[in-house]
Amino acid sequence: MLAAAQALGLPVKLHADQIADTGAAALAARHGALSADHLEQTDDAGIAAMAAAGTVAVLLPGAFHYLRETVKPPVASLRAHGVPMALATDCNPGTSPVLTLPTAANLGCVLFGLTPEEALAGITREGARALGLDDRGVLRLGARADLAMWDAASPVELCYWLGASPCAGVVIAGKPLLSC
């Protein structure tokens, strides 16, 4: 199925190694996947393959929390291999009723030991990269202007409050919306 998707030019993303190390992270890398999600059980070989392929690791701390998992994603190994780490809510009614990216950022810091800077990159630049949206997630000339503006003095403050939404405004395609 992954080879067929590739042949059709469809981007590949995989749910990988959440419950057991099945080699899914390495499989994702072999097929040039944009991302591999969960990764709690991924070994160093899978992480090295992801690094070589440029596959983004998508960490889902809401699912980890609500499923009461005990094995954390191998963040130190992801860092050591230079694998970009995105953070997402994995919002769904069965395993992750997390609605906001600031909550995912908080949980990523508290549960997985990410730095606030890593969490902020994870919900912006690396999140866009995991979706194949290279024109978003960064502030630069020529990038699409989809912005959430936060009433926070630093990434630490954005990641600190659990349940608060310090959103001060939203811009979509360069057009300001009145509120969050």
Side-chain angles (χ1 to χ4, degrees), residues 56-160:
V56 177
V58 178
L59 307 181
L60 303 165
F64 176 88
H65 173 70
Y66 279 93
L67 291 173
R68 297 181 183 181
E69 295 289 341
T70 57
V71 177
K72 298 176 185 180
V75 169
S77 185
L78 292 166
R79 283 181 185 132
H81 285 88
V83 175
M85 293 180 282
L87 277 173
T89 65
D90 197 21
C91 182
N92 73 79
T95 62
S96 186
V98 175
L99 297 176
T100 68
L101 287 173
T103 300
N106 172 282
L107 292 173
C109 292
V110 172
L111 298 176
F112 297 161
L114 297 180
T115 67
E117 292 77 15
E118 287 172 325
L120 183 59
I123 63 172
T124 56
R125 179 185 68 233
E126 305 308 349
R129 190 176 183 185
L131 295 170
L133 301 173
D134 296 333
D135 66 337
R136 297 167 215 200
V138 295
L139 293 173
R140 67 172 156 71
L141 190 60
R144 181 180 159 124
D146 288 347
L147 308 170
M149 296 172 286
W150 304 99
D151 186 12
S154 71
V156 172
E157 190 176 339
L158 182 62
C159 298
Y160 178 75

